[in-house]
Amino acid sequence: MSGNGAFVPRSDRHNARTPLLARDAIAALVVTTMVVGYARRPSVLSRATVPSGPPAAAARAPAGGDTAVAVVVAERKIVAERPAPATFVENANVKPIYFDFDRYDIRPEDARTMEADAAWLKSNNVLILVEGQCDERGTDDYNLALGDRRARATMSYLAALGIATNRMSTVSYGKERPVCTEHGEACWALNRRAHIVVKPRG
């Protein structure tokens, strides 16, 4: 019976409820799909977990996936293990090498210097710090990067000559520690160098 007192057949009442039932079924299907979809979405933190890294480092890393977190942890580990530069000293038996402007490749004359350096380093049980340095031209950031490449190139060359890599570390000072403060090529050439300092091992 309808609201105005008229009799409504059962089939008509069933037809009236059909759109409501269809709407409820569609809504339930949408909710189920959303729940299943979110359940299957991978967790960024679980994928990017680095077992050897400190939890704090992973928490502060940008949400860039595995690589971003791994790089942050790896860099912090390297810095933590690097010996303090202040504990190293010059040794007259180990000579610096020099570089052309804006370059970090080892020149033939400096390769001979490094061969003599390597011969002394092999017979003395010391740790080695290679300091990369630049002249005053260029920005601070650019020279820090160039100094790092010079230090690493020098370390790689020493490794090729038989010096164990676990004895060596590098640091870049860019243009922060000039050995000559005049403004000219003769002075700049002295500042474009890889300076090798040592300390007793153990």
Side-chain angles (χ1 to χ4, degrees):
M1 180 174 295
S2 65
N4 58 7
F7 177 76
V8 178
R10 181 180 300 272
S11 58
D12 290 343
R13 291 200 302 270
H14 175 75
N15 291 337
R17 287 197 301 268
T18 299
L20 295 176
L21 292 174
R23 185 183 63 185
D24 293 343
I26 292 172
L29 180 60
V30 169
V31 171
T32 302
T33 302
M34 292 175 62
V35 171
V36 172
Y38 283 119
R40 293 180 180 176
R41 180 174 297 172
S43 168
V44 173
L45 290 178
S46 65
R47 279 196 304 118
T49 300
V50 180
S52 60
R60 288 192 296 270
D66 308 40
T67 304
V69 176
V71 167
V72 170
V73 174
E75 287 181 352
R76 289 185 180 179
K77 183 177 179 182
I78 290 170
V79 171
E81 292 178 354
R82 177 180 293 162
T87 63
F88 290 80
V89 296
E90 291 184 350
N91 187 290
N93 296 292
V94 183
K95 308 295 184 185
I97 65 169
Y98 300 91
F99 298 87
D100 292 328
F101 174 67
D102 206 28
R103 301 294 295 273
Y104 58 94
D105 49 312
I106 309 297
R107 303 179 301 187
E109 60 270 29
D110 293 295
R112 290 190 290 272
T113 299
M114 293 191 67
E115 289 171 2
D117 290 347
W120 185 88
L121 292 169
K122 286 178 182 177
S123 59
N124 290 269
N125 189 25
V126 294
L127 294 175
I128 304 153
L129 178 64
V130 183
E131 301 174 340
Q133 300 181 1
C134 305
D135 65 37
E136 64 183 347
R137 293 170 291 179
T139 65
D140 291 344
D141 289 343
Y142 182 84
N143 281 307
L144 283 171
L146 179 58
D148 180 67
R149 289 193 289 270
R150 287 173 174 168
R152 291 179 182 276
T154 303
M155 185 177 72
S156 296
Y157 202 93
L158 287 173
L161 292 172
I163 305 301
T165 56
N166 62 1
R167 296 175 57 191
M168 297 187 284
S169 56
T170 65
V171 65
S172 174
Y173 292 122
K175 58 181 180 180
E176 297 171 3
R177 297 191 178 187
V179 295
C180 181
T181 57
E182 295 178 7
H183 307 291
E185 179 54 37
C187 188
W188 293 334
L190 295 176
N191 293 331
R192 299 192 299 264
R193 67 179 190 157
H195 184 219
I196 303 172
V197 289
V198 298
K199 76 171 184 176
R201 193 173 189 179

